[in-house]
Amino acid sequence: KMVKSNISSFSRLHAAMMRYFMEELYVIYYAFKADYNSRFEHVLKMQEPVAVLVELDVVASSRKIMTAYDYLLQMYVTQRKTQEALDLAYKLDAMYSSAVGDYVNTSLVSDVATAYIMAGKYDLALKYLEDVREYREQYIKDKPNDMEMKANLANTYNNLALCYSYVGNPHKAFKMQQKTVEYMTPFY
């Protein structure tokens, strides 16, 4: 019975992983095509195999689960579904904090911070944005010609400026906005 159970679990895992990868390809494809309705449709479809991965409690799948949840979080933010975004941000926060190894996903952490900003939780967003800023600054030092990362860092500084403004620190908000301009200048 145990062998049959393990084979059954393996089959479900394999099917869930294949479905996950297929849906992720669609999500990426429709993002490049700027077809956000189709992208959102596949983000939702991606949650089905993720539920199986969660049920099977496969540690090796935790990054895939977080990625799928991050796509869903992006969808909630875009659709201005504040409570759903906040609930998922808390869930992602807990998962990311307990992730195995030295896994770093600044995009995911930045998306969690964006959900916190949407919900008016600026102090919490600041904590995550400062971590993202530090990582992205170090990355730029190592790879100074990475324009995509510079744009991401500019966005991080812009969000920091917004948060510092809302928590009553206009001096720090101004400094962050100056850094935004510094990193965005090469794009204009």
Side-chain angles (χ1 to χ4, degrees), residues 90-165:
Y90 286 137
K91 188 175 198 171
L92 270 167
D93 184 4
M95 289 180 76
Y96 189 78
S97 297
S98 65
V100 177
D102 57 351
Y103 177 59
V104 175
N105 184 333
T106 57
S107 178
L108 181 148
V109 176
S110 186
D111 291 340
V112 167
T114 300
Y116 289 149
I117 291 169
M118 244 178 76
K121 300 192 176 300
Y122 304 109
D123 288 326
L124 199 50
L126 277 170
K127 174 183 159 218
Y128 292 93
L129 289 170
E130 285 292 353
D131 288 345
V132 170
R133 178 190 59 78
E134 286 178 27
Y135 180 85
R136 288 179 173 170
E137 281 180 345
Q138 183 58 49
Y139 185 93
I140 293 292
K141 286 178 185 174
D142 296 340
K143 297 182 181 180
N145 296 323
D146 188 330
M147 297 306 283
E148 182 179 357
M149 185 58 79
K150 286 183 178 183
N152 289 336
L153 184 55
N155 185 54
T156 301
Y157 275 117
N158 192 56
N159 285 338
L160 281 164
L162 174 76
C163 289
Y164 280 118
S165 176

Side-chain angles (χ1 to χ4, degrees), residues 5-19:
S5 174
N6 286 342
I7 291 171
S8 175
S9 292
F10 178 76
S11 297
R12 288 184 65 216
L13 173 63
H14 181 69
M17 294 295 280
M18 294 304 291
R19 177 84 189 280

Side-chain angles (χ1 to χ4, degrees), residues 163-188:
C163 289
Y164 280 118
S165 176
Y166 275 108
V167 298
N169 193 338
H171 180 70
K172 190 108 179 190
F174 182 71
K175 281 183 165 185
M176 296 296 124
Q177 203 59 57
Q178 286 177 313
K179 294 295 277 184
T180 301
V181 172
E182 175 187 325
Y183 280 100
M184 286 306 294
T185 300
F187 294 99
Y188 296 100

Side-chain angles (χ1 to χ4, degrees), residues 35-80:
D35 181 348
Y36 295 106
N37 289 331
S38 294
R39 180 177 190 258
F40 291 156
E41 175 186 330
H42 288 280
V43 164
L44 293 174
K45 285 182 180 180
M46 182 186 259
Q47 303 313 305
E48 293 169 21
V50 164
V52 173
L53 297 175
V54 169
E55 176 190 333
L56 294 175
D57 194 27
V58 180
V59 173
S61 301
S62 63
R63 291 181 187 178
K64 291 169 188 57
I65 294 167
M66 287 188 287
T67 298
Y69 286 165
D70 187 29
Y71 287 140
L72 188 59
L73 178 63
Q74 292 168 11
M75 185 179 86
Y76 288 152
V77 167
T78 301
Q79 294 175 343
R80 301 269 184 234

